[in-house]
CSV table of all heavy atoms in Angstrom, one decimal:
chain,number,residue,atom,x,y,z
A,107,GLY,N,56.6,-96.6,-10.8
A,107,GLY,CA,56.5,-95.2,-11.3
A,107,GLY,C,55.1,-94.6,-11.1
A,107,GLY,O,54.1,-95.3,-11.1
A,108,ILE,N,55.1,-93.3,-10.9
A,108,ILE,CA,53.9,-92.5,-10.6
A,108,ILE,C,53.8,-91.4,-11.7
A,108,ILE,O,54.8,-90.6,-11.9
A,108,ILE,CB,53.9,-91.9,-9.2
A,108,ILE,CG1,54.0,-93.0,-8.2
A,108,ILE,CG2,52.6,-91.1,-9.0
A,108,ILE,CD1,54.3,-92.5,-6.8
A,109,LEU,N,52.7,-91.3,-12.3
A,109,LEU,CA,52.4,-90.2,-13.3
A,109,LEU,C,51.2,-89.5,-12.9
A,109,LEU,O,50.1,-90.1,-12.8
A,109,LEU,CB,52.3,-90.8,-14.6
A,109,LEU,CG,52.0,-90.0,-15.9
A,109,LEU,CD1,52.4,-90.7,-17.1
A,109,LEU,CD2,50.6,-89.6,-16.0
A,110,VAL,N,51.3,-88.2,-12.5
A,110,VAL,CA,50.1,-87.4,-12.3
A,110,VAL,C,49.8,-86.6,-13.5
A,110,VAL,O,50.6,-85.7,-13.9
A,110,VAL,CB,50.2,-86.5,-11.1
A,110,VAL,CG1,49.0,-85.6,-10.9
A,110,VAL,CG2,50.6,-87.3,-9.8
A,111,GLN,N,48.8,-86.9,-14.2
A,111,GLN,CA,48.5,-86.3,-15.5
A,111,GLN,C,48.2,-84.8,-15.3
A,111,GLN,O,47.3,-84.4,-14.5
A,111,GLN,CB,47.3,-86.9,-16.2
A,111,GLN,CG,47.0,-86.4,-17.6
A,111,GLN,CD,48.2,-86.6,-18.6
A,111,GLN,OE1,48.8,-87.6,-18.6
A,111,GLN,NE2,48.4,-85.6,-19.4
A,112,LEU,N,48.9,-83.9,-16.0
A,112,LEU,CA,48.7,-82.5,-16.0
A,112,LEU,C,47.8,-82.1,-17.2
A,112,LEU,O,47.9,-82.7,-18.2
A,112,LEU,CB,50.0,-81.8,-16.0
A,112,LEU,CG,51.0,-82.1,-14.9
A,112,LEU,CD1,52.3,-81.4,-15.0
A,112,LEU,CD2,50.4,-81.9,-13.5
A,113,PRO,N,47.0,-81.0,-17.1
A,113,PRO,CA,46.9,-80.1,-15.9
A,113,PRO,C,46.0,-80.7,-14.8
A,113,PRO,O,45.2,-81.6,-15.1
A,113,PRO,CB,46.3,-78.9,-16.5
A,113,PRO,CG,45.4,-79.4,-17.6
A,113,PRO,CD,46.2,-80.5,-18.2
A,114,VAL,N,46.2,-80.2,-13.6
A,114,VAL,CA,45.4,-80.5,-12.5
A,114,VAL,C,44.4,-79.3,-12.3
A,114,VAL,O,44.7,-78.2,-12.8
A,114,VAL,CB,46.2,-80.7,-11.2
A,114,VAL,CG1,46.9,-82.0,-11.3
A,114,VAL,CG2,47.1,-79.6,-10.9
A,115,PRO,N,43.3,-79.5,-11.6
A,115,PRO,CA,42.4,-78.3,-11.4
A,115,PRO,C,43.1,-77.2,-10.7
A,115,PRO,O,44.1,-77.3,-10.0
A,115,PRO,CB,41.3,-79.0,-10.4
A,115,PRO,CG,41.3,-80.4,-10.8
A,115,PRO,CD,42.8,-80.7,-11.0
A,116,ASP,N,42.5,-76.0,-10.9
A,116,ASP,CA,43.1,-74.7,-10.5
A,116,ASP,C,43.4,-74.6,-9.0
A,116,ASP,O,44.3,-73.9,-8.6
A,116,ASP,CB,42.3,-73.5,-11.0
A,116,ASP,CG,42.3,-73.3,-12.5
A,116,ASP,OD1,43.2,-73.9,-13.1
A,116,ASP,OD2,41.3,-72.7,-13.0
A,117,HIS,N,42.6,-75.3,-8.2
A,117,HIS,CA,42.7,-75.2,-6.8
A,117,HIS,C,43.9,-76.0,-6.3
A,117,HIS,O,44.2,-76.0,-5.1
A,117,HIS,CB,41.4,-75.5,-6.1
A,117,HIS,CG,41.0,-77.0,-6.2
A,117,HIS,ND1,40.3,-77.4,-7.3
A,117,HIS,CD2,41.2,-78.1,-5.4
A,117,HIS,CE1,40.1,-78.7,-7.2
A,117,HIS,NE2,40.6,-79.1,-6.0
A,118,ILE,N,44.5,-76.8,-7.1
A,118,ILE,CA,45.6,-77.6,-6.8
A,118,ILE,C,46.9,-77.1,-7.4
A,118,ILE,O,47.0,-76.7,-8.5
A,118,ILE,CB,45.4,-79.1,-7.2
A,118,ILE,CG1,44.2,-79.7,-6.6
A,118,ILE,CG2,46.7,-79.9,-7.0
A,118,ILE,CD1,43.8,-81.1,-7.1
A,119,ASN,N,48.0,-76.9,-6.5
A,119,ASN,CA,49.2,-76.4,-7.0
A,119,ASN,C,50.1,-77.4,-7.7
A,119,ASN,O,50.5,-78.4,-7.1
A,119,ASN,CB,50.0,-75.8,-5.8
A,119,ASN,CG,51.3,-75.1,-6.2
A,119,ASN,OD1,52.3,-75.8,-6.4
A,119,ASN,ND2,51.2,-73.8,-6.3
A,120,GLU,N,50.3,-77.2,-9.0
A,120,GLU,CA,51.0,-78.2,-9.8
A,120,GLU,C,52.4,-78.5,-9.3
A,120,GLU,O,52.8,-79.6,-9.3
A,120,GLU,CB,51.0,-77.6,-11.2
A,120,GLU,CG,51.7,-78.6,-12.2
A,120,GLU,CD,51.7,-78.0,-13.6
A,120,GLU,OE1,50.6,-77.8,-14.2
A,120,GLU,OE2,52.8,-77.8,-14.2
A,121,ARG,N,53.1,-77.4,-8.9
A,121,ARG,CA,54.5,-77.6,-8.4
A,121,ARG,C,54.5,-78.4,-7.2
A,121,ARG,O,55.4,-79.3,-7.0
A,121,ARG,CB,55.2,-76.3,-8.2
A,121,ARG,CG,56.6,-76.2,-7.7
A,121,ARG,CD,57.5,-77.3,-8.3
A,121,ARG,NE,57.5,-77.4,-9.7
A,121,ARG,CZ,58.0,-78.4,-10.4
A,121,ARG,NH1,58.4,-79.5,-9.7
A,121,ARG,NH2,57.9,-78.4,-11.7
A,122,THR,N,53.6,-78.2,-6.2
A,122,THR,CA,53.5,-79.0,-5.0
A,122,THR,C,53.3,-80.5,-5.3
A,122,THR,O,53.9,-81.3,-4.7
A,122,THR,CB,52.4,-78.5,-4.1
A,122,THR,OG1,52.7,-77.1,-3.8
A,122,THR,CG2,52.3,-79.3,-2.8
A,123,ILE,N,52.4,-80.7,-6.3
A,123,ILE,CA,52.1,-82.1,-6.6
A,123,ILE,C,53.3,-82.8,-7.3
A,123,ILE,O,53.7,-83.9,-7.0
A,123,ILE,CB,50.9,-82.2,-7.6
A,123,ILE,CG1,49.7,-81.6,-6.8
A,123,ILE,CG2,50.6,-83.6,-8.1
A,123,ILE,CD1,49.3,-82.3,-5.5
A,124,CYS,N,54.0,-82.1,-8.2
A,124,CYS,CA,55.1,-82.7,-8.9
A,124,CYS,C,56.2,-83.0,-7.9
A,124,CYS,O,56.9,-84.0,-8.0
A,124,CYS,CB,55.6,-81.7,-10.0
A,124,CYS,SG,54.5,-81.6,-11.4
A,125,ASN,N,56.4,-82.1,-6.9
A,125,ASN,CA,57.5,-82.4,-5.9
A,125,ASN,C,57.1,-83.4,-4.9
A,125,ASN,O,58.0,-84.0,-4.3
A,125,ASN,CB,57.8,-81.1,-5.2
A,125,ASN,CG,58.6,-80.1,-6.1
A,125,ASN,OD1,59.3,-80.5,-7.0
A,125,ASN,ND2,58.6,-78.8,-5.7
A,126,ALA,N,55.8,-83.7,-4.8
A,126,ALA,CA,55.4,-84.8,-3.9
A,126,ALA,C,55.7,-86.2,-4.4
A,126,ALA,O,55.9,-87.1,-3.5
A,126,ALA,CB,53.9,-84.6,-3.6
A,127,VAL,N,55.8,-86.3,-5.7
A,127,VAL,CA,56.1,-87.7,-6.2
A,127,VAL,C,57.6,-88.0,-5.9
A,127,VAL,O,58.5,-87.1,-6.2
A,127,VAL,CB,55.9,-87.7,-7.7
A,127,VAL,CG1,56.3,-89.1,-8.3
A,127,VAL,CG2,54.4,-87.4,-8.1
A,128,HIS,N,57.8,-89.1,-5.3
A,128,HIS,CA,59.2,-89.5,-4.9
A,128,HIS,C,60.1,-89.4,-6.2
A,128,HIS,O,59.7,-89.9,-7.2
A,128,HIS,CB,59.2,-90.9,-4.3
A,128,HIS,CG,60.5,-91.2,-3.7
A,128,HIS,ND1,61.7,-91.5,-4.4
A,128,HIS,CD2,60.8,-91.3,-2.4
A,128,HIS,CE1,62.7,-91.8,-3.5
A,128,HIS,NE2,62.2,-91.6,-2.3
A,129,VAL,N,61.3,-88.9,-5.9
A,129,VAL,CA,62.2,-88.6,-7.1
A,129,VAL,C,62.5,-89.9,-7.8
A,129,VAL,O,62.7,-89.8,-9.1
A,129,VAL,CB,63.5,-87.9,-6.5
A,129,VAL,CG1,64.2,-88.8,-5.6
A,129,VAL,CG2,64.4,-87.5,-7.7
A,130,GLU,N,62.6,-91.0,-7.2
A,130,GLU,CA,62.9,-92.3,-7.9
A,130,GLU,C,61.7,-92.9,-8.6
A,130,GLU,O,61.9,-93.8,-9.3
A,130,GLU,CB,63.5,-93.3,-6.9
A,130,GLU,CG,64.9,-92.8,-6.4
A,130,GLU,CD,65.6,-93.9,-5.6
A,130,GLU,OE1,65.0,-95.0,-5.4
A,130,GLU,OE2,66.7,-93.7,-5.2
A,131,LYS,N,60.5,-92.4,-8.3
A,131,LYS,CA,59.3,-92.9,-9.0
A,131,LYS,C,58.7,-91.9,-9.9
A,131,LYS,O,57.7,-92.1,-10.6
A,131,LYS,CB,58.2,-93.3,-7.9
A,131,LYS,CG,58.7,-94.4,-7.1
A,131,LYS,CD,57.5,-94.9,-6.2
A,131,LYS,CE,57.9,-96.1,-5.3
A,131,LYS,NZ,56.8,-96.8,-4.6
A,132,ASP,N,59.4,-90.7,-10.1
A,132,ASP,CA,59.0,-89.6,-10.9
A,132,ASP,C,59.3,-89.8,-12.3
A,132,ASP,O,60.2,-89.3,-12.9
A,132,ASP,CB,59.7,-88.3,-10.3
A,132,ASP,CG,59.5,-87.1,-11.2
A,132,ASP,OD1,58.4,-87.0,-11.8
A,132,ASP,OD2,60.4,-86.3,-11.3
A,133,VAL,N,58.4,-90.7,-13.0
A,133,VAL,CA,58.7,-91.0,-14.4
A,133,VAL,C,58.5,-89.9,-15.4
A,133,VAL,O,59.0,-90.0,-16.5
A,133,VAL,CB,57.9,-92.3,-14.8
A,133,VAL,CG1,58.4,-93.5,-14.0
A,133,VAL,CG2,56.4,-92.1,-14.6
A,134,ASP,N,57.8,-88.8,-14.9
A,134,ASP,CA,57.7,-87.6,-15.8
A,134,ASP,C,58.9,-86.8,-15.7
A,134,ASP,O,59.2,-85.9,-16.6
A,134,ASP,CB,56.5,-86.8,-15.3
A,134,ASP,CG,55.2,-87.2,-16.0
A,134,ASP,OD1,55.3,-87.6,-17.2
A,134,ASP,OD2,54.1,-87.0,-15.4
A,135,GLY,N,59.8,-86.9,-14.7
A,135,GLY,CA,60.9,-86.1,-14.5
A,135,GLY,C,60.6,-84.7,-14.1
A,135,GLY,O,61.4,-83.8,-14.4
A,136,PHE,N,59.5,-84.5,-13.4
A,136,PHE,CA,59.1,-83.1,-13.1
A,136,PHE,C,59.4,-82.7,-11.6
A,136,PHE,O,59.3,-81.5,-11.3
A,136,PHE,CB,57.6,-83.0,-13.3
A,136,PHE,CG,57.1,-83.1,-14.7
A,136,PHE,CD1,55.8,-83.3,-15.0
A,136,PHE,CD2,58.0,-83.0,-15.7
A,136,PHE,CE1,55.3,-83.4,-16.3
A,136,PHE,CE2,57.6,-83.1,-17.1
A,136,PHE,CZ,56.2,-83.3,-17.3
A,137,ASN,N,59.8,-83.7,-10.8
A,137,ASN,CA,60.3,-83.3,-9.4
A,137,ASN,C,61.5,-82.4,-9.5
A,137,ASN,O,62.3,-82.6,-10.4
A,137,ASN,CB,60.6,-84.6,-8.7
A,137,ASN,CG,61.0,-84.4,-7.3
A,137,ASN,OD1,62.1,-83.8,-7.0
A,137,ASN,ND2,60.2,-84.9,-6.3
A,138,GLU,N,61.5,-81.4,-8.6
A,138,GLU,CA,62.6,-80.4,-8.7
A,138,GLU,C,64.0,-81.1,-8.6
A,138,GLU,O,65.0,-80.6,-9.1
A,138,GLU,CB,62.4,-79.4,-7.7
A,138,GLU,CG,62.4,-79.9,-6.2
A,138,GLU,CD,62.1,-78.8,-5.2
A,138,GLU,OE1,61.5,-77.8,-5.6
A,138,GLU,OE2,62.3,-79.0,-4.0
A,139,GLN,N,64.1,-82.2,-7.9
A,139,GLN,CA,65.4,-82.9,-7.8
A,139,GLN,C,65.8,-83.5,-9.2
A,139,GLN,O,67.0,-83.4,-9.5
A,139,GLN,CB,65.3,-84.0,-6.8
A,139,GLN,CG,65.1,-83.5,-5.3
A,139,GLN,CD,65.2,-84.7,-4.3
A,139,GLN,OE1,66.2,-85.4,-4.3
A,139,GLN,NE2,64.2,-84.8,-3.5
A,140,ASN,N,64.9,-84.0,-9.9
A,140,ASN,CA,65.2,-84.5,-11.2
A,140,ASN,C,65.5,-83.4,-12.2
A,140,ASN,O,66.4,-83.5,-13.0
A,140,ASN,CB,64.1,-85.4,-11.8
A,140,ASN,CG,64.2,-86.8,-11.3
A,140,ASN,OD1,65.3,-87.4,-11.2
A,140,ASN,ND2,63.0,-87.4,-11.0
A,141,VAL,N,64.8,-82.3,-12.1
A,141,VAL,CA,65.1,-81.1,-12.9
A,141,VAL,C,66.5,-80.6,-12.6
A,141,VAL,O,67.2,-80.2,-13.5
A,141,VAL,CB,64.0,-80.0,-12.7
A,141,VAL,CG1,64.4,-78.7,-13.5
A,141,VAL,CG2,62.6,-80.5,-13.1
A,142,GLY,N,66.8,-80.5,-11.3
A,142,GLY,CA,68.1,-80.0,-10.9
A,142,GLY,C,69.2,-80.9,-11.3
A,142,GLY,O,70.3,-80.5,-11.8
A,143,ARG,N,69.0,-82.2,-11.3
A,143,ARG,CA,70.0,-83.2,-11.8
A,143,ARG,C,70.3,-83.0,-13.3
A,143,ARG,O,71.4,-83.1,-13.7
A,143,ARG,CB,69.6,-84.6,-11.4
A,143,ARG,CG,69.6,-84.9,-9.9
A,143,ARG,CD,69.3,-86.3,-9.6
A,143,ARG,NE,70.4,-87.2,-9.9
A,143,ARG,CZ,71.4,-87.4,-9.1
A,143,ARG,NH1,71.4,-86.8,-7.9
A,143,ARG,NH2,72.4,-88.2,-9.4
A,144,LEU,N,69.2,-82.8,-14.0
A,144,LEU,CA,69.3,-82.5,-15.4
A,144,LEU,C,70.1,-81.2,-15.7
A,144,LEU,O,71.1,-81.2,-16.5
A,144,LEU,CB,67.9,-82.4,-16.1
A,144,LEU,CG,67.9,-81.9,-17.6
A,144,LEU,CD1,68.7,-83.0,-18.4
A,144,LEU,CD2,66.5,-81.8,-18.1
A,145,ALA,N,69.8,-80.2,-14.9
A,145,ALA,CA,70.5,-78.9,-15.1
A,145,ALA,C,72.0,-79.0,-14.7
A,145,ALA,O,72.9,-78.4,-15.3
A,145,ALA,CB,69.9,-77.8,-14.2
A,146,LEU,N,72.3,-79.9,-13.8
A,146,LEU,CA,73.7,-80.1,-13.3
A,146,LEU,C,74.4,-81.2,-14.1
A,146,LEU,O,75.5,-81.6,-13.8
A,146,LEU,CB,73.8,-80.4,-11.8
A,146,LEU,CG,73.3,-79.2,-11.0
A,146,LEU,CD1,73.2,-79.6,-9.5
A,146,LEU,CD2,74.2,-78.0,-11.1
A,147,ASP,N,73.7,-81.8,-15.1
A,147,ASP,CA,74.3,-82.8,-16.0
A,147,ASP,C,74.6,-84.1,-15.1
A,147,ASP,O,75.7,-84.7,-15.3
A,147,ASP,CB,75.6,-82.3,-16.7
A,147,ASP,CG,75.7,-82.9,-18.1
A,147,ASP,OD1,75.0,-83.9,-18.4
A,147,ASP,OD2,76.5,-82.4,-18.9
A,148,MET,N,73.7,-84.4,-14.2
A,148,MET,CA,73.8,-85.6,-13.4
A,148,MET,C,72.8,-86.6,-13.8
A,148,MET,O,71.8,-86.3,-14.4
A,148,MET,CB,73.7,-85.2,-11.9
A,148,MET,CG,74.7,-84.2,-11.4
A,148,MET,SD,74.2,-83.6,-9.8
A,148,MET,CE,74.3,-85.0,-8.8
A,149,ASP,N,73.0,-87.9,-13.4
A,149,ASP,CA,72.1,-88.9,-13.8
A,149,ASP,C,70.8,-88.8,-13.0
A,149,ASP,O,70.8,-88.5,-11.8
A,149,ASP,CB,72.7,-90.3,-13.4
A,149,ASP,CG,71.8,-91.4,-13.9
A,149,ASP,OD1,71.3,-91.4,-15.0
A,149,ASP,OD2,71.6,-92.4,-13.1
A,150,GLY,N,69.7,-88.9,-13.7
A,150,GLY,CA,68.4,-88.8,-13.1
A,150,GLY,C,67.3,-89.1,-14.2
A,150,GLY,O,67.6,-89.8,-15.2
A,151,ILE,N,66.1,-88.8,-13.9
A,151,ILE,CA,65.0,-89.1,-14.9
A,151,ILE,C,64.7,-87.8,-15.7
A,151,ILE,O,64.4,-86.8,-15.1
A,151,ILE,CB,63.7,-89.6,-14.1
A,151,ILE,CG1,64.0,-90.9,-13.4
A,151,ILE,CG2,62.6,-89.8,-15.1
A,151,ILE,CD1,62.9,-91.5,-12.6
A,152,ILE,N,64.9,-87.9,-17.0
A,152,ILE,CA,64.7,-86.8,-17.9
A,152,ILE,C,63.3,-86.7,-18.4
A,152,ILE,O,62.7,-87.8,-18.7
A,152,ILE,CB,65.7,-86.9,-19.0
A,152,ILE,CG1,67.2,-86.9,-18.5
A,152,ILE,CG2,65.5,-85.7,-20.0
A,152,ILE,CD1,68.2,-87.1,-19.6
A,153,PRO,N,62.6,-85.6,-18.4
A,153,PRO,CA,61.3,-85.5,-18.9
A,153,PRO,C,61.2,-86.2,-20.3
A,153,PRO,O,62.1,-86.1,-21.2
A,153,PRO,CB,61.0,-84.0,-19.0
A,153,PRO,CG,61.8,-83.4,-17.9
A,153,PRO,CD,63.1,-84.3,-17.9
A,154,ALA,N,60.1,-86.9,-20.5
A,154,ALA,CA,59.9,-87.8,-21.6
A,154,ALA,C,60.0,-87.1,-23.0
A,154,ALA,O,60.6,-87.6,-24.0
A,154,ALA,CB,58.6,-88.5,-21.5
A,155,THR,N,59.3,-85.9,-23.1
A,155,THR,CA,59.3,-85.2,-24.4
A,155,THR,C,60.7,-84.8,-24.9
A,155,THR,O,61.1,-85.1,-26.0
A,155,THR,CB,58.3,-84.1,-24.5
A,155,THR,OG1,57.0,-84.6,-24.2
A,155,THR,CG2,58.3,-83.4,-25.8
A,156,PRO,N,61.4,-84.0,-24.0
A,156,PRO,CA,62.8,-83.7,-24.5
A,156,PRO,C,63.7,-84.9,-24.7
A,156,PRO,O,64.5,-84.9,-25.7
A,156,PRO,CB,63.3,-82.9,-23.3
A,156,PRO,CG,62.1,-82.3,-22.6
A,156,PRO,CD,61.1,-83.4,-22.8
Side-chain angles (χ1 to χ4, degrees):
I108 303 167
L109 180 160
V110 180
Q111 183 65 38
L112 303 178
V114 290
D116 291 341
H117 65 276
I118 297 175
N119 184 277
E120 180 180 300
R121 175 45 46 199
T122 299
I123 297 305
C124 290
N125 286 340
V127 177
H128 192 286
V129 64
E130 291 188 359
K131 296 189 177 187
D132 170 37
V133 292
D134 269 330
F136 294 164
N137 181 292
E138 62 187 15
Q139 292 185 53
N140 276 321
V141 175
R143 294 182 74 84
L144 173 61
L146 294 173
D147 217 343
M148 300 167 64
D149 186 43
I151 297 178
I152 299 173
T155 298

